[in-house]
Amino acid sequence: MKIVIASAGRRAHYLEWFQDALRALGIRGEVIAMEYRSTAPGFGVADRAVTMPAYNSPEYGDAMRQWFADERPDAFFCMNDYESQVLSGELADDLRRSGAVVAVLAPDEQAMVLDKYAMAESFAAHGIPTPATSLGTEVDDVLASASAGTRFVVKHRFGSGSSGLELPTTEDLRAAVARSAGSALGPDGRPVDADPAAVVVQEFLPGDEYGLDGVFSLDGRSELLGVMARRVGQKRAGDTDVATTADPGRFRELVAQVGRLLLPSGSIDMDVREDGEGVARVIDINPRFGGGYPYCHQAGAQVPAALIRSVRGLEPDPALLDYEIGVTSTRREAFTVIGREGATSRDAALAETSLR
């Protein structure tokens, strides 16, 4: 098997876990890291490293089509929300013609989950619990209906990793929207000109925050194979830093609701937070492997193995998605050697491009 992990960035552990899964399943194969920069940490871990033009460059689409036609990988997983946006639709369909499973949403669904305002509107219309959400341009209306001291969540509409996050009250809501708008990005991942329409204002939910993983089949049916959950203890730079694995049972129907709407493939990452009555409301979705799954992997879950089985057309093995509840893990730093001067085999791997 050839498994491609694109835009893994610092999440090189996913490459190692797919390698482990291939060995455990007795399948010969390679896990390929695909990045636009040759210094990506994953290049020191992967079985093969492939440099590719950046997803927002004019050369990206043709380079991807050519590489897939030449290499014919079995499965492709992307770790970047903006790259997934570029891939969804026509390009993903072109890549699938090579025989590969390309785990991205259809274009309308991908655009919807990238846009936190559109997602909140759509989820509310389909009965999926989500916090009340307004655009930064509607701040006057929000303030007119709020009592003094009410707390809000302000963040980028098209952001990733809690970018632009502020937790203001009514007294400084306008200033928080302006600050967040100053660093906001558009749906293409490029900066916008301090546009408050690129910011959302949401009600603050006072309860616990949970990260969820929904694992869906890769056979085109989007069958829900399993759910994993962890209670967030601490966050750092938008990523979960400390978390404790939790019973996924109470979240299964919520994940199933989202699955019926999005028809995802592979693993999707969901962030939920409890309101004052203990109802878990969806605050964000990343239709890819997220930063929270490792906490469940450390407790025994084996999602890469479950997905490899799905790619191969094998019957699901529910045991691969079981894990120990109540395990607390913390994120740590690690370092990866990506090359050595004079090591010609490594240099050759780093120099490999899609434009051979």
Side-chain angles (χ1 to χ4, degrees):
M1 290 187 74
K2 290 182 181 179
I3 299 171
V4 180
I5 309 293
S7 291
R10 296 183 181 277
R11 295 173 179 171
H13 42 274
Y14 279 111
L15 298 160
E16 295 175 313
W17 293 343
F18 270 96
Q19 291 168 334
D20 292 344
L22 285 172
R23 286 191 291 269
L25 293 170
I27 297 174
R28 292 182 59 190
E30 58 179 344
V31 179
I32 301 167
M34 183 177 283
E35 283 274 4
Y36 76 95
R37 55 192 178 96
S38 61
T39 54
F43 277 17
V45 173
D47 297 311
R48 185 151 47 114
V50 176
T51 53
M52 184 65 62
Y55 69 83
N56 55 6
S57 71
E59 300 83 12
Y60 175 79
D62 287 342
M64 289 286 284
R65 291 181 180 94
Q66 186 62 57
W67 192 86
F68 270 67
D70 291 343
E71 293 283 348
R72 298 195 172 276
D74 295 278
F76 176 91
F77 301 96
C78 179
M79 301 290 192
N80 183 284
D81 295 322
Y82 302 113
E83 184 172 10
S84 294
Q85 178 80 355
V86 173
L87 282 159
S88 67
E90 182 180 342
L91 178 54
D93 288 340
D94 289 347
L95 302 183
R96 291 181 181 118
R97 292 189 184 98
S98 72
V101 170
V102 179
V104 297
L105 297 179
D108 289 347
E109 286 73 20
Q110 175 63 39
M112 183 256 284
V113 297
L114 183 63
D115 182 342
K116 292 176 176 58
Y117 179 72
M119 186 185 79
E121 293 278 289
S122 180
F123 279 18
H126 287 85
I128 299 173
T130 190
T133 303
S134 303
L135 292 175
T137 51
E138 301 169 323
V139 66
D140 289 340
D141 293 336
V142 172
L143 288 171
S145 60
S147 56
T150 300
R151 197 173 181 187
F152 299 93
V153 175
V154 171
K155 57 187 175 183
H156 292 161
R157 177 179 178 181
F158 304 102
S160 181
S162 300
S163 61
L165 180 66
E166 303 250 357
L167 300 174
T169 60
T170 49
E171 288 69 26
D172 56 350
L173 179 59
R174 284 194 180 89
V177 168
R179 285 193 299 269
S180 185
S183 59
L185 305 177
D188 58 357
R190 297 179 184 274
V192 295
D193 188 18
D195 183 2
V199 171
V200 292
V201 179
Q202 295 182 321
E203 64 174 313
F204 177 79
L205 303 174
D208 286 336
E209 181 174 340
Y210 290 84
L212 311 177
D213 294 300
V215 183
F216 295 84
S217 66
L218 293 161
D219 57 4
R221 297 185 300 164
S222 295
E223 177 188 357
L224 180 59
L225 303 179
V227 176
M228 278 147 286
R230 59 257 161 205
R231 187 181 68 255
V232 176
Q234 293 176 225
K235 300 189 84 167
R236 174 164 53 105
D239 277 332
T240 302
D241 207 33
V242 180
T244 301
T245 53
D247 185 349
R250 62 173 290 211
F251 302 108
R252 187 176 180 89
E253 179 52 31
L254 178 61
V255 175
Q257 280 184 282
V258 172
R260 289 191 289 269
L261 179 61
L262 300 182
L263 298 178
S265 57
S267 181
I268 68 169
D269 175 77
M270 296 173 51
D271 295 329
V272 303
R273 196 175 184 100
E274 295 173 327
D275 62 17
E277 298 179 351
V279 175
R281 297 183 177 272
V282 180
I283 57 176
D284 199 13
I285 286 184
N286 300 300
R288 53 169 172 79
F289 279 109
Y293 165 69
Y295 296 93
C296 294
H297 193 90
Q298 292 296 99
Q302 299 291 330
V303 170
L307 295 182
I308 289 172
R309 288 183 64 87
S310 186
V311 172
R312 273 292 176 95
L314 302 174
E315 284 295 315
D317 181 358
L320 293 173
L321 303 181
D322 285 340
Y323 59 92
E324 184 182 351
I325 295 170
V327 175
T328 299
S329 301
T330 185
R331 184 184 301 273
R332 65 180 176 84
E333 301 293 341
F335 295 86
T336 303
V337 175
I338 60 171
R340 289 183 172 85
E341 292 184 7
T344 55
S345 61
R346 190 70 219 159
D347 291 344
L350 292 174
E352 180 180 350
T353 73
S354 62
L355 305 177
R356 292 178 297 173

